[in-house]
Amino acid sequence: VDVLSVANDSIVFKLSNCDVSIANALRRILISEVPTIAIDFVEVMENSSVLHDGFLAHRLGLVPLLSDQADEFKYARDCNCDDPPCQACGVRLTLDVECSEAGVVEVTCGDLLSAYEVVRPVSQASHDAVHAVEGEVESRGILLCKLVKGQKLKLECVAKKGIGKEHAKWSPVSCATFKYDPIVELNHERLAELTLDERQSIAKSCPTEVFDIEDGKLMVQDVARCMLCNECTRTAAQITAASAGGGGGGGGSRAPLVRIAKDERQFTFTVETVGSLAPKDVVHKALQVLVGKVKHLLQELPTVEIN
């Protein structure tokens, strides 16, 4: 694994020397099997807003919570506490907001108070040096609802550990994709037979500007930009066909001017997170889950009976 770039909420990395099945397994784990903490139970004491209780509960469940310490918690199903949730399997959060004056009060996730400081809405982490963004306008967080004079919202939540396979609110990523690394090969011997205008037409046919003309020669400028659309190969084929039709000797049996292929052993991943975990942590935990699955498979294989 080679990390290409990292931002506050995204990471791009290259996965090499593996099959597409491994790459897809990692993608699925990133989405659905990395544990995080999310609100799973909401008890509404008072709600005179225009939004009904179920609507608010759904919005609260989708608020990302910092989950750096998720591994310290037990899954609620594995905890034997008498009065769930206990400190080992859950975190209590409270919200109590009232609008007593004329105007509108915005209730946001910043109004959620956590009993365990490490687990709190992501927006509140902007005060931490680790999560701070230079020049960022301070925000009170995700809007939950609005109150006018005389309205009040009071509730208590319980956040639990879970994975995206159970519900999307536990998924640490909003997007996890991969693509094959492209292979771009130029037949310089045949390209030398073309006119400058023909070489330029091939370069301009690429929508992502993979090619460039240097000293009259067609060169690959940035192979990573290639999205395997094959526009360049179609343009090159048209030039070859026109040359053959005009008696230029461009026979179909000769090697193509441009060859585009995909490297089936190298993949570039793009992962965007929701903020509950740092991008590098999400990838690291996903790889740990994948390795754990492989180890379990190797342990169980000797016990499998093949008829």
Side-chain angles (χ1 to χ4, degrees), residues 196-209:
L196 178 59
D197 287 342
E198 288 174 330
R199 290 193 287 270
Q200 287 178 335
S201 66
I202 295 175
K204 292 178 180 179
S205 68
C206 178
T208 55
E209 300 181 348

Side-chain angles (χ1 to χ4, degrees), residues 158-229:
V158 175
K160 299 178 182 178
K161 179 181 177 179
I163 58 177
K165 187 182 289 186
E166 301 174 52
H167 192 285
K169 65 187 177 185
W170 277 298
S171 178
V173 303
S174 57
C175 172
T177 64
F178 71 85
K179 67 174 184 177
Y180 290 98
D181 278 8
I183 299 173
V184 181
E185 295 178 353
L186 300 178
N187 188 331
H188 290 287
E189 183 179 344
R190 289 203 58 199
L191 285 168
E193 300 173 2
L194 304 181
T195 66
L196 178 59
D197 287 342
E198 288 174 330
R199 290 193 287 270
Q200 287 178 335
S201 66
I202 295 175
K204 292 178 180 179
S205 68
C206 178
T208 55
E209 300 181 348
V210 171
F211 305 103
D212 193 15
I213 300 294
E214 298 179 6
D215 298 327
K217 295 181 179 179
L218 182 66
M219 305 296 291
V220 176
Q221 181 176 246
D222 188 355
V223 68
R225 293 181 184 175
C226 180
M227 58 182 185
L228 303 172
C229 68

Side-chain angles (χ1 to χ4, degrees), residues 190 198 236-252:
R190 289 203 58 199
E198 288 174 330
Q238 291 171 359
I239 293 173
T240 299
S243 177

Side-chain angles (χ1 to χ4, degrees), residues 42 44 46-60 144-145 153 155:
V42 179
V44 180
E46 185 174 348
N47 176 22
S48 54
S49 72
V50 297
L51 302 182
H52 56 76
D53 296 355
F55 194 98
L56 286 170
H58 183 262
R59 289 181 68 84
L60 286 163
L144 300 175
C145 70
L153 180 61
L155 50 83

